[in-house]
Amino acid sequence: NCCQTNPTYKTKPHSSEVVKIETKNKLQTSIKIGRLMFDRSHSDYNKFNFMSTILGGYFGSRLMKNIREDKGYTYGIYSAIEAWNNGGFFYISADVGKELTQKTLHEIYKEINLLKSQEVPPAELKMVKNYILGQSLNLIDGPFATAQFIKTLYTKHLDIEDFQNHIQEIKNMSSKDVIETANMYLDTNTFTTVLVGGLSA
């Protein structure tokens, strides 16, 4: 214990970087787009998570409807924010045929720009609120889920008041909040794109 030190976390400045890694799988490409973010205690965490859910956080999300259902470019595409005690990251993930890589990237950026410029329709806003609130209730559904929930609060340095604030913030989310959050954090110049597998010209 006398020799223990707190680890130092170093991060690089945000930059628009594309990393390409070719593998033996020449037919398919895995796409990861993301950027560093904040931890769960950040004041904008709930807003960002709500916005990310609209974009790609559930089966009826915009990325799924456009790129999976309408275009048929992939079996699945999603976005998420992962939060740790000392930061976090946001990412979009999909696997597509090599020849569809650039088309998929185009549609991803199109959906991001729509989030930044157009109000979310009331029906979609309500649906996402109900989805997130339902997921939140599942966290305390039964003794084992509740125990895991309490463990998560403890390890994330949160308390029950943070959970109550989360519920209230989700209920109060508006289209304006979504647009403001998207414009604040979804700057594509801060995204790192990683392409792995078959690489198109």
Side-chain angles (χ1 to χ4, degrees):
N1 290 336
C2 66
C3 300
Q4 278 188 338
T5 58
N6 291 325
T8 300
Y9 298 92
K10 296 181 179 180
T11 59
K12 297 193 304 181
H14 295 304
S15 62
S16 180
E17 182 180 4
V18 179
V19 179
K20 297 183 178 181
I21 304 172
E22 191 162 13
T23 68
K24 293 181 179 179
N25 179 2
K26 305 296 184 184
L27 300 178
Q28 197 171 42
T29 301
S30 289
I31 300 172
K32 293 287 190 296
I33 301 172
R35 56 159 291 178
L36 293 172
M37 291 299 298
F38 34 65
D39 62 34
R40 195 178 289 268
S41 64
H42 193 280
S43 59
D44 286 337
Y45 176 84
N46 290 326
K47 289 181 180 179
F48 188 92
N49 185 53
F50 187 91
M51 180 271 299
S52 174
T53 302
I54 292 174
L55 179 64
Y58 71 116
F59 194 77
S61 71
R62 295 185 175 191
L63 291 177
M64 285 288 282
K65 283 184 175 179
N66 178 352
I67 297 172
R68 181 185 187 273
E69 295 181 18
D70 294 346
K71 303 294 189 304
Y73 291 169
T74 181
Y75 285 114
I77 183 169
Y78 58 93
S79 67
I81 178 172
E82 297 287 346
W84 301 322
N85 288 340
N86 295 283
F89 62 95
F90 163 74
Y91 67 100
I92 299 168
S93 178
D95 294 320
V96 301
K98 178 181 71 173
E99 71 282 0
L100 297 172
T101 301
Q102 295 305 318
K103 290 181 179 180
T104 301
L105 292 173
H106 173 79
E107 294 300 325
I108 289 172
Y109 292 130
K110 184 177 83 173
E111 293 299 337
I112 288 173
N113 288 329
L114 287 173
L115 267 184
K116 295 164 73 172
S117 60
Q118 296 185 10
E119 288 194 358
V120 180
E124 184 181 13
L125 203 67
K126 182 179 180 180
M127 181 168 59
V128 174
K129 286 182 181 182
N130 289 339
Y131 172 79
I132 295 178
L133 292 173
Q135 293 290 98
S136 300
L137 286 176
N138 285 338
L139 296 174
I140 51 174
D141 183 15
F144 294 107
T146 303
Q148 181 62 43
F149 171 66
I150 293 171
K151 176 184 173 183
T152 300
L153 288 180
Y154 179 79
T155 57
K156 299 291 184 182
H157 306 297
L158 302 171
D159 55 35
I160 194 64
E161 186 175 324
D162 293 298
F163 180 67
Q164 292 169 337
N165 290 339
H166 159 75
I167 296 297
Q168 197 57 49
E169 273 200 78
I170 296 304
K171 289 181 177 180
N172 293 337
M173 281 293 294
S174 67
S175 291
K176 181 181 177 182
D177 291 325
V178 174
I179 291 175
E180 289 179 351
T181 304
N183 278 282
M184 186 175 298
Y185 295 109
L186 296 187
D187 179 357
T188 55
N189 291 322
T190 67
F191 289 172
T192 295
T193 300
V194 181
L195 307 175
V196 179
L199 302 178
S200 56

